[in-house]
Amino acid sequence: GQSLEQPSEVTAVEGAIVQINCTYQTSGFYGLSWYQQHDGGAPTFLSYNALDGLEETGRFSSFLSRSDSYGYLLLQELQMKDSASYFCAVRVQGGKLIFGQGTELSVKP
Amino acid sequence: DTAVSQTPKYLVTQMGNDKSIKCEQNLGHDTMYWYKQDSKKFLKIMFSYNNKELIINETVPNRFSPKSPDKAHLNLHINSLELGDSAVYFCASSSRLAGDQETQYFGPGTRLLVL
C-alpha cells in the first residue's frame, strides 16, 4: 500500500523555527513535494526533493533521505501568515502525487 | 490572469442529481488533474489527463466521468450524486514537456454540498 505519516498539528510562536516531518511507504518513489494550504484556499507548491539533501528557498527548506524514507519541511523566522496546513506528497509513477494527511501549523504571537 | 480556474466555486444540490464542474488552465500545461479533498482535508487524486488522454484513473465510482475536450480544459461530470460526494474538488495542472511535472498548480476549488 501507499502511506505517508506526518504530525496532525504543530504550534509555534512568531520568529521561531519549526520542523514538520514526513515518513512515507510507497511502491515507487520519484520525489517528495511539500504544499501549503491556507483555510479555504488551494494547495500551493513549496518545494520538491528528488535527491537526498537539503533544498533551501528563502525561509523554507526541505530535506530528503531516500534511504530512511523520510523528509522534513523546515520553516524559519515564523510569521503569522505561515499558519496553514502543510502537506507532504510523494510523486510516484505516472506523475501521480500521493498526499499525506496534512499538518496544521498554528503560529502564535 | 487566473492560472487555473474552476466553475462553479460553490455547488449545493440534492441527492440523485447530476452536476458538472469545469476547469480551465491558461499556463500552457499538458497535464491536468482532479483531486477530492474531504472534510478531514485528505487530498486524493481521482483522474489525470495528458494531452487529452486519460493517464490516471483511481478507484473512483463510475458515476464520476472526466472529459478533456482539449489540453487546456478538464471537466468532471458526476451522476446520481450521493451524500458522500460532498467535498472540495480541486483541479490542477502541470507540464511534462517543460520537465516540471513535479510542480502542480491548483485551482481555487469547487465546494460541493449534497443534501
Side-chain angles (χ1 to χ4, degrees):
Chain A
Q2 323 260 41
S3 68
L4 286 82
E5 295 284 335
Q6 51 181 128
S8 58
E9 53 187 36
V10 172
T11 302
V13 295
E14 266 188 302
I17 299 173
V18 71
Q19 178 174 313
I20 300 173
N21 298 322
C22 175
T23 56
Y24 58 87
Q25 186 174 7
T26 58
S27 48
F29 176 88
Y30 285 79
L32 184 71
S33 296
W34 289 92
Y35 283 78
Q36 178 193 59
Q37 184 179 27
H38 286 99
D39 270 349
T44 56
F45 174 81
L46 290 177
S47 68
Y48 177 75
N49 295 65
L51 304 175
D52 286 358
L54 190 68
E55 297 275 346
E56 297 180 62
T57 310
R59 295 187 297 113
F60 294 1
S61 304
S62 57
F63 172 83
L64 174 65
S65 167
R66 294 177 70 128
S67 58
D68 295 322
S69 298
Y70 163 77
Y72 65 72
L73 179 70
L74 189 73
L75 300 87
Q76 303 183 73
E77 300 170 21
L78 280 173
Q79 302 175 9
M80 297 296 288
K81 68 178 182 179
D82 297 330
S83 292
S85 293
Y86 292 84
F87 296 86
C88 59
V90 167
R91 181 172 157 250
V92 297
Q93 190 168 3
K96 188 164 75 170
L97 282 182
I98 309 294
F99 281 83
Q101 294 276 55
T103 298
E104 190 167 340
L105 171 64
S106 297
V107 180
K108 307 290 185 189
Chain B
D1 286 58
T2 307
V4 183
S5 59
Q6 295 178 228
T7 53
K9 191 168 183 181
Y10 298 96
L11 188 52
V12 182
T13 187
Q14 299 286 332
M15 253 191 334
N17 284 350
D18 303 338
K19 291 292 178 187
S20 290
I21 307 171
K22 296 188 175 183
C23 178
E24 177 180 0
Q25 54 94 5
N26 62 5
L27 297 167
H29 288 167
D30 54 3
T31 307
M32 296 183 73
Y33 311 81
W34 276 114
Y35 286 88
K36 178 181 180 180
Q37 186 169 45
D38 63 23
S39 57
K40 295 184 179 177
K41 294 191 174 180
F42 182 51
L43 199 57
K44 189 176 189 320
I45 181 115
M46 299 172 70
F47 303 103
S48 177
Y49 273 76
N50 176 256
N51 280 322
K52 301 193 298 177
E53 182 184 343
L54 182 65
I55 57 171
I56 295 174
N57 186 356
E58 290 295 285
T59 309
V60 177
N62 57 15
R63 298 182 294 104
F64 290 79
S65 51
K67 188 170 183 181
S68 182
D70 57 58
K71 278 196 319 181
H73 296 85
L74 180 61
N75 303 323
L76 183 65
H77 188 76
I78 315 170
N79 287 326
S80 302
L81 278 156
E82 299 178 358
L83 294 178
D85 298 332
S86 295
V88 182
Y89 292 84
F90 285 101
C91 175
S93 72
S94 66
S95 175
R96 282 190 173 186
L97 287 177
D100 187 27
Q101 58 181 309
E102 295 81 17
T103 307
Q104 294 190 11
Y105 296 82
F106 284 75
T110 295
R111 284 139 189 87
L112 171 65
L113 178 60
V114 182
L115 302 174

